[in-house]
Amino acid sequence: MEQLPRPHPRPDRDTSPYWEAQRAHELKFQRCSDCGESRFPVTPTCPACRSFDFEWTSSSGRGTVYSYTVVHHQTHPAFGVPYTIVLVELEDGPRMVAQLRAPDGESVGIGMHVRVDWEDHPEQPLPVFVPHS
Ligand code: ZN
């Protein structure tokens, strides 16, 4: 399958601050002002208490792999296979899904320490995770 450019996010009223922070390679998430729940992805209301009030919080970008999958079946021409998607439990926030970029031969495992890194694209940098000791 021909490799095409990756589709890029289309920020809206709710997600613009999240994507704008990533232009400076900063990872942010929402934290509920009423109950303190952190959340990802961006949502207009708190899933725990339904509050509309929140603050943007900067994340260290460090965490551990909570779960993962290795994709072998290509479903979009922009994403060559195989690639690994990880669900990371951030040390200071919610769980976040992103691609894992690991050196050849390095295998992913639950509990693996990772940190966020950035894939720079002309339209929008995108977060990826890389192994971190
Ligand atoms: Zn809440």
Side-chain angles (χ1 to χ4, degrees):
M1 196 178 284
E2 181 186 352
Q3 184 87 17
L4 296 178
R6 286 185 171 207
H8 54 89
R10 296 182 182 203
D12 60 23
R13 184 186 62 187
D14 294 323
T15 63
S16 286
Y18 172 77
W19 294 114
E20 194 58 40
Q22 293 193 14
R23 290 185 184 280
H25 291 182
E26 185 179 4
L27 184 62
K28 288 190 169 190
F29 61 87
Q30 296 168 292
R31 187 176 300 283
C32 179
S33 300
D34 289 321
C35 75
E37 181 84 4
S38 58
R39 58 192 202 239
F40 181 87
V42 177
T43 59
T45 59
C46 175
C49 76
R50 310 257 189 251
S51 172
F52 286 98
D53 298 325
F54 67 91
E55 300 170 347
W56 287 103
T57 303
S58 292
S59 172
S60 70
R62 290 187 300 268
T64 55
V65 172
Y66 183 83
S67 187
Y68 68 94
T69 188
V70 179
V71 178
H72 293 278
H73 178 76
Q74 189 168 15
T75 57
H76 190 285
F79 297 92
V81 291
Y83 60 91
T84 302
I85 299 296
V86 287
L87 175 60
V88 171
E89 187 151 27
L90 294 169
E91 67 181 11
D92 50 15
R95 292 179 186 154
M96 176 181 171
V97 173
Q99 189 168 348
L100 177 74
R101 191 178 61 211
D104 285 346
E106 183 153 354
S107 60
V108 61
I110 292 173
M112 177 183 189
H113 295 277
V114 292
R115 66 170 175 79
V116 75
D117 197 7
W118 305 95
E119 255 185 27
D120 283 313
H121 298 275
E123 302 84 8
Q124 173 70 51
L126 296 174
V128 296
F129 284 98
V130 296
H132 176 69
S133 52

